[in-house]
Amino acid sequence: MADHANPFESLQAQIDDASAYLDVGDDVLERLKHPERVLETNLSIERDDGSLDVFRAYRSQFNGDRGPYKGGIRYHPGVNRAEVKALSGWMVYKCAVVDIPYGGGKGGIAVDPREYSASELERLTRAFAVELRPFIGENQDIPAPDVNTGQREMNWLKDTYETLENTTAPGVVTGKAIDSGGSAGRVAATGRSVMLAAREAFDWLDRDLADATVAIQGYGNVGSQAARLIDDLGGDIVAVSDSSGGIYDPSGLAVGGATDHKRETGSLAGYANTESLTNDDLLTLDVDLLIPAALENAITESLAPDVAADVIVEGANGPITPAADDILTEQGVYVVPDILANAGGVTVSYFEWVQNRQRFSWTEDRVNDELERVITEAFDGLVETYEATDTPNLRTAAYVVAIQRVVSAFQQGGSWP
Ligand code: NAD
């Protein structure tokens, strides 16, 4: 496979890898390798200077056998149809492996949001919401934040939908601000599940995360929250990076200070008493735990032989190409897969949706306790399957668990004339 794997082909390869350990016919599996439908649309908005800009936007609804389609909306220049399809498929298996009652979806706009003003981004988001309106809904398809989107965009989506539908339906999107129907604990949720998955993996390997050295690629929502929470447990975060490069301190970074520095200067570079390093240097550091928390295809076939970490917990979606994954398995590196490790975001999105449907808010402690229960139970189930089968690694075992659940829901639904 090429170094820059097509993420949709990566997803299909992961399903094929699991199929050898499943008692499921090829016809049923074929259904699980393609989206049910993909919306591809053009959005045109007026710039602040009066000119017109046109953007390609997508929403993929991959599979709804277990519940409404669920997944984020990404704003990034690299957004394309194959990426959105792959990300929507990963959502299906993510929701299934942690056993929450959702299918999978994903959307995105090919845009670099740094080049647009807040009012231009608001017009763009509302234009997307108008196109999405016939397809989304509290019971149909529920978007959420992803790369370069957050509470602000979700509030605009909800407001557009509710205005056009002449209703209140806070559960139509998740990841909203608290006063717009968001949940306590949502912002830190994905970083928290990365921390929990790392803690459980180290326990399983008879090691202690409190004694571990840790490197984290990507210092956005997921990477920075995982850094804070692992630091709280006593782990030593020795290196972190963003798209402009990384910083390294072998004796352990002051995580709070690094976060403040990035907030104040827009980058990690130049943080006091640290060495600078490239992203490839970071990914090949000799650490106990490596967390890729940026984008897909960070660890490729050419980089994998140089990876020196003992354990990788995937904060990002699809950060390891299938060819790289095979090399890491041969090298004895334990990889806790994205579909479990970063499932905290969708799990707390599910709690947000439950609270919206009940019109009743939970405390942050309740959210965090329920999240811990979901992730630890999912990790125990994954290890049980891994140890009971000949699956070569935790990823394949996770797909076995997830696919079995999706197939079971599909078969219980029976056939339709
Ligand atoms: P974000 O936009 O907040 O942060 C992304 C970070 O990655 C930024 O620090 C950016 O500078 C950095 N980055 C981008 N390209 C890089 C590169 N080539 N090398 C190093 N760093 C790079 O996004 P996020 O919400 O933290 O999402 C990160 C990943 O986690 C994505 O794969 C996303 O799909 C996944 N994810 C996010 C959530 C969530 O709740 N936010 C949930 C599940 C999965």
Side-chain angles (χ1 to χ4, degrees):
M1 175 130 356
D3 254 9
H4 288 286
N6 173 325
F8 186 57
E9 288 169 5
S10 299
L11 167 77
Q12 295 187 323
Q14 288 158 349
I15 296 169
D16 285 339
D17 286 348
S19 68
Y21 306 92
L22 283 161
D23 187 16
V24 177
D26 287 347
D27 46 352
V28 174
L29 273 183
E30 190 60 22
R31 265 190 89 245
L32 302 183
K33 288 161 67 173
H34 301 275
E36 291 174 9
R37 65 191 67 81
V38 182
L39 169 74
E40 179 172 345
T41 182
N42 281 321
L43 305 175
S44 31
I45 61 147
E46 189 179 323
R47 302 283 312 250
D48 293 339
D49 65 6
S51 62
L52 196 72
D53 249 4
V54 184
F55 304 86
R56 199 80 70 239
Y58 309 87
R59 181 77 185 168
S60 168
Q61 297 181 334
F62 199 94
N63 180 286
D65 291 338
R66 301 183 78 252
Y69 309 104
K70 183 86 190 87
I73 304 258
R74 175 175 294 195
Y75 288 1
H76 191 276
V79 163
N80 60 60
R81 197 179 171 97
E83 181 187 68
V84 169
K85 279 162 55 176
L87 290 164
S88 67
W90 282 322
M91 288 305 297
V92 176
Y93 303 109
K94 185 178 303 187
C95 294
V97 83
V98 295
D99 208 5
I100 57 176
Y102 283 142
K106 203 81 173 193
I109 305 178
V111 58
D112 185 346
R114 289 171 304 186
E115 292 174 6
Y116 294 85
S117 69
S119 60
E120 289 169 337
L121 290 172
E122 179 172 356
R123 288 197 287 282
L124 183 63
T125 305
R126 290 192 189 279
F128 197 22
V130 170
E131 290 300 319
L132 289 173
R133 184 174 68 115
F135 305 100
I136 61 174
E138 289 182 312
N139 294 317
Q140 286 82 26
D141 182 355
I142 305 147
D146 192 67
V147 174
N148 293 328
T149 59
Q151 292 182 342
R152 184 181 66 166
E153 288 74 17
M154 298 307 111
N155 302 342
W156 290 333
L157 269 173
K158 165 182 168 283
D159 181 70
T160 312
Y161 180 86
E162 290 185 333
T163 304
L164 294 173
E165 293 286 327
N166 188 29
T167 189
T168 58
V172 68
V173 294
T174 58
K176 304 175 294 288
I178 297 278
D179 288 335
S180 292
S183 176
R186 174 63 181 85
V187 172
T190 306
R192 184 173 292 279
S193 72
V194 169
M195 174 276 287
L196 292 166
R199 188 193 70 189
E200 295 304 296
F202 273 68
D203 259 14
W204 174 57
L205 296 167
D206 281 329
R207 296 175 61 167
D208 192 347
L209 190 54
D211 299 328
T213 52
V214 185
I216 303 181
Q217 183 212 25
Y219 209 65
N221 172 279
V222 178
S224 65
Q225 296 289 346
R228 177 178 67 83
L229 293 163
I230 292 172
D231 186 55
D232 286 351
L233 284 185
D236 270 340
I237 315 295
V238 295
V240 296
S241 68
D242 58 24
S243 49
S244 56
I247 53 174
Y248 176 53
D249 179 351
S251 61
L253 296 160
V255 169
T259 304
D260 290 345
H261 180 80
K262 179 158 167 80
R263 192 173 43 242
E264 284 154 19
T265 67
S267 146
L268 291 163
Y271 180 51
N273 303 322
T274 60
E275 293 167 36
S276 63
L277 83 179
T278 66
N279 269 293
D280 281 1
D281 292 340
L282 180 143
L283 294 168
T284 52
L285 274 180
D286 188 4
V287 285
D288 300 310
L289 171 63
L290 173 64
I291 300 176
L295 293 173
E296 301 93 74
N297 297 338
I299 302 178
T300 58
E301 189 177 0
S302 55
L303 192 92
D306 298 325
V307 168
D310 302 335
V311 179
I312 298 179
V313 174
E314 294 182 321
N317 288 310
I320 303 177
T321 66
D325 217 16
D326 291 344
I327 294 168
L328 295 172
T329 299
E330 270 169 37
Q331 286 173 195
V333 181
Y334 287 95
V335 177
V336 184
D338 47 6
I339 58 171
L340 190 147
N342 70 29
V346 72
T347 302
V348 175
S349 273
Y350 166 56
F351 298 157
E352 179 177 332
W353 180 78
V354 169
Q355 293 169 71
N356 291 157
R357 309 304 299 264
Q358 294 177 332
R359 307 268 172 175
F360 180 80
S361 300
W362 300 0
T363 62
E364 185 165 353
D365 282 348
R366 178 170 175 192
V367 170
N368 291 345
D369 287 351
E370 292 280 359
L371 174 60
E372 182 163 0
R373 179 185 60 75
V374 168
I375 299 296
T376 53
E377 283 181 10
F379 189 86
D380 290 348
L382 167 61
V383 164
E384 204 175 296
T385 296
Y386 175 67
E387 290 177 343
T389 60
D390 292 329
T391 44
N393 53 39
L394 293 171
R395 187 187 316 281
T396 303
Y399 275 90
V400 168
V401 172
I403 291 170
Q404 271 167 344
R405 287 187 179 142
V406 179
V407 168
S408 168
F410 170 66
Q411 289 174 335
Q412 285 164 5
S415 57
W416 188 252

